[in-house]
Amino acid sequence: MAKNRTINIVTLGCSKNIVDSEHIAAQLKYSGFDVIFDSNDTTAKIVVINTCGFIGDAKEESIDTILKFAHAKTNGYITHLYVIGCLSERYKKELKQEIPEVDDFFGVNNLQEIIKGLGGTYQKDLTGERMLTTLPHYAYLKISEGCNWGCGYCAIPLIRGKHKSVPMELLEEEARKLADKGVKELMVIAQDTTYYGLDLYGERKLGELLRRLCRIEGIEWIRLHYAYPAQFPEDVIEVMKNEPKMCHYIDIPFQHISNSVLKRMRRGISEEQTQQLIDKLRKEIPDIAIRTTLLVGYPGESLQDIEKLHQFVLKNRFDRLGVFTYSEEEGTYSAENLTDDVPQEEKERRADFIMRAQQQISLENNEKWMGTRQKVIIDRKENGFYIGRTQYDSPEVDQEVIVCTEKELILGEFYVVEIYKVDSYDIYSRI
């Protein structure tokens, strides 16, 4: 393939895919390509689609996107189409047969093959280099790949393999490079961040890693995502409590609370242990914002299980909460051993039941911020207002702070605001 051409990288799915696309883009840029991201208005003749294959809706979105660009290739708008990522890893053979317009398919964890296949030259000394697709003042830091837990519903170990931690020194170097680019906020991510280090060092090392990241000049906020609740490392709580750069925020997917459902899900944790962890987090860090996700409609889930989950949400009053409906994924434990016995309409009813409770909780949680002053980072300006976030909110997934001011604010900078109005999912403030 000729060099010095423009490549359009279209990224679907989670923040882990965003990081993968950013690494690929840095390699391609070094090989002489111009790289743009997620563009529909472009003359780029080469398109790379980084797919998601986690749940049914995500797979459908990935296939629809591939078909759209395959149609564009047939009609001469683009000349080359490549598909990478989770969907390609899992269904490469089937996709090749069904969508022959695609020039090649690549899976995950094979960056060198992808770069070579696109006509570039892989450079090992570019490890940690990225072309950011996020706003310039924040970035995701992926600290490991894969997962060892084998939850009953999850296909990630089938797609991305066993847990593999990135050495601390490489992560520190990558974080420094991000700070040099102007990044002030790091979102620490992985399929399971709390497992970090066990494969490399013989023990969990997330706490130490976070301490090291806190020492990097230029980084002002660090927040933790995708923390698996089973065998949660206690030292992480101490780091979050004592390190000023650590946001008092944690994304920790509990999925359910009923012991019978947790057992069938193979989560490795009980209702009692879950509640103990929540209580400890809130005791040690009283203002911590806990974000969680729940999964309803899992095989065998009863109305009693849903009511128990409802009471769990009412009791713990999570700051941020999302609900997914169960989607049977071939090859997983639940697909092979359990019967998907909850109708889709009932799954959605259960999800709505939980989210209605959460909406009222979110409003009441926000009302406690009335009249307080909070530090916010400004993400953008929109319709005459500045939009920012507190340390209790992660970008893209959480609520935002609308800042009313006639002053010119600098995007990516921190300001102190006073909150004067709230609703369930937004906060209004003045400088």
Side-chain angles (χ1 to χ4, degrees):
M1 185 187 302
K3 291 189 177 183
N4 300 316
R5 298 178 65 181
T6 303
I7 294 181
N8 181 17
I9 299 180
V10 178
T11 305
L12 306 171
C14 67
S15 53
K16 296 182 283 293
N17 270 12
I18 290 174
V19 174
D20 292 343
S21 290
E22 291 175 348
H23 283 300
I24 290 168
Q27 289 279 348
L28 291 172
K29 185 178 180 182
Y30 182 86
S31 290
F33 290 98
D34 293 321
V35 182
I36 58 175
F37 296 98
D38 300 305
S39 179
N40 289 316
D41 182 20
T42 174
T43 58
K45 299 297 184 182
I46 307 165
V47 175
V48 178
I49 305 172
N50 191 354
T51 59
C52 179
F54 182 46
I55 57 175
D57 289 347
K59 288 191 286 189
E60 185 176 338
E61 181 189 18
S62 293
I63 291 169
D64 287 346
T65 304
I66 297 168
L67 290 173
K68 181 182 78 171
F69 282 101
H71 182 71
K73 185 184 176 189
T74 300
N75 286 281
Y77 295 110
I78 64 173
T79 59
H80 293 81
L81 177 59
Y82 299 90
V83 175
I84 65 175
C86 294
L87 191 77
S88 184
E89 176 77 30
R90 197 166 186 211
Y91 301 108
K92 183 176 181 178
K93 183 178 178 181
E94 295 88 341
L95 289 169
K96 271 188 172 182
Q97 293 174 347
E98 296 295 328
I99 316 178
E101 295 87 350
V102 176
D103 291 281
D104 209 347
F105 293 87
F106 300 96
V108 299
N109 304 329
N110 53 358
L111 180 58
Q112 294 185 42
E113 287 181 35
I114 294 169
I115 302 305
K116 183 179 178 182
L118 291 171
T121 302
Y122 177 79
Q123 298 291 326
K124 189 175 181 180
D125 59 356
L126 290 179
T127 300
E129 290 287 349
R130 290 158 60 179
M131 273 185 69
L132 289 181
T133 62
T134 57
L135 295 176
H137 53 272
Y138 69 76
Y140 299 97
L141 185 70
K142 186 164 73 168
I143 65 173
S144 65
E145 188 60 87
C147 184
N148 282 11
W149 283 101
C151 297
Y153 50 83
C154 185
I156 290 298
L158 302 175
I159 298 170
R160 291 190 173 263
K162 293 290 188 180
H163 182 100
K164 187 176 180 181
S165 301
V166 179
M168 272 192 224
E169 295 75 17
L170 294 181
L171 291 171
E172 287 179 281
E173 181 184 359
E174 185 171 338
R176 286 193 193 95
K177 289 177 179 177
L178 290 170
D180 290 342
K181 291 176 183 283
V183 169
K184 297 176 182 176
E185 178 182 10
L186 281 182
M187 271 69 68
V188 175
I189 61 169
Q191 193 58 36
D192 170 16
T193 52
T194 49
Y195 202 90
Y196 176 79
L198 200 55
D199 55 321
L200 287 181
Y201 310 110
E203 58 183 327
R204 294 171 187 252
K205 288 285 190 177
L206 178 60
E208 182 180 337
L209 173 64
L210 293 174
R211 285 192 190 93
R212 290 195 188 189
L213 295 176
C214 286
R215 302 292 172 264
I216 295 176
E217 189 174 346
I219 301 297
E220 296 190 42
W221 275 1
I222 299 173
R223 66 176 74 247
L224 184 60
H225 280 261
Y226 312 130
Y228 199 92
Q231 302 175 33
F232 191 93
E234 298 275 320
D235 64 327
V236 171
I237 299 176
E238 290 301 310
V239 174
M240 293 181 69
K241 178 181 177 180
N242 296 318
E243 290 286 352
K245 290 186 179 182
M246 288 299 302
C247 293
H248 288 179
Y249 173 102
I250 189 166
D251 180 337
I252 182 166
F254 291 116
Q255 307 297 12
H256 219 285
I257 196 59
S258 164
N259 278 327
S260 62
V261 178
L262 288 170
K263 186 174 182 180
R264 286 196 301 279
M265 285 182 170
R266 306 170 86 197
R267 290 288 287 169
I269 193 169
S270 67
E271 173 187 352
E272 296 75 19
Q273 291 167 326
T274 299
Q275 192 60 57
Q276 287 170 8
L277 175 57
I278 294 169
D279 292 344
K280 184 171 180 61
L281 283 166
R282 289 206 163 130
K283 178 183 177 183
E284 296 297 324
I285 313 168
D287 66 328
I288 191 169
I290 300 178
R291 174 179 179 80
T292 194
T293 50
L294 304 175
L295 181 63
V296 300
Y298 193 73
E301 182 188 63
S302 66
L303 293 177
Q304 289 79 13
D305 293 326
I306 279 293
E307 182 53 36
K308 181 178 275 288
L309 188 62
H310 181 237
Q311 292 302 318
F312 173 66
V313 170
L314 293 177
K315 175 181 178 180
N316 288 287
R317 304 179 65 79
F318 295 107
D319 301 87
R320 317 284 176 252
L321 184 144
V323 181
F324 293 92
T325 57
Y326 171 70
S327 169
E328 186 173 88
E329 298 299 317
E330 59 188 295
T332 60
Y333 171 84
S334 60
E336 295 185 350
N337 296 278
L338 303 174
T339 302
D340 186 4
D341 55 358
V342 181
Q344 184 60 33
E345 186 176 341
E346 174 61 15
K347 291 175 184 175
E348 292 171 5
R349 188 197 69 79
R350 295 178 184 185
D352 290 342
F353 175 56
I354 299 297
M355 283 308 299
R356 280 198 303 273
Q358 179 61 28
Q359 186 172 8
Q360 181 62 30
I361 291 168
S362 295
L363 176 60
E364 292 169 4
N365 282 345
N366 280 348
E367 285 174 343
K368 70 186 179 184
W369 299 114
M370 284 286 289
T372 67
R373 292 183 176 185
Q374 299 293 328
K375 181 180 178 181
V376 299
I377 191 167
I378 302 298
D379 284 339
R380 66 188 188 279
K381 191 174 185 180
E382 192 174 276
N383 298 324
F385 298 99
Y386 289 96
I387 311 296
R389 291 174 292 106
T390 69
Q391 66 165 316
Y392 309 109
D393 298 288
S394 201
E396 305 295 338
V397 294
D398 293 327
Q399 69 183 10
E400 297 174 318
V401 178
I402 298 165
V403 183
C404 305
T405 180
E406 294 182 358
K407 296 180 180 179
E408 285 291 324
L409 305 186
I410 302 172
L411 302 186
E413 290 295 329
F414 293 93
Y415 295 88
V416 174
V417 300
E418 184 174 345
I419 295 165
Y420 70 88
K421 178 184 172 184
V422 301
D423 60 28
S424 294
Y425 298 111
D426 285 304
I427 291 175
Y428 298 82
S429 68
R430 303 183 185 93
I431 289 291

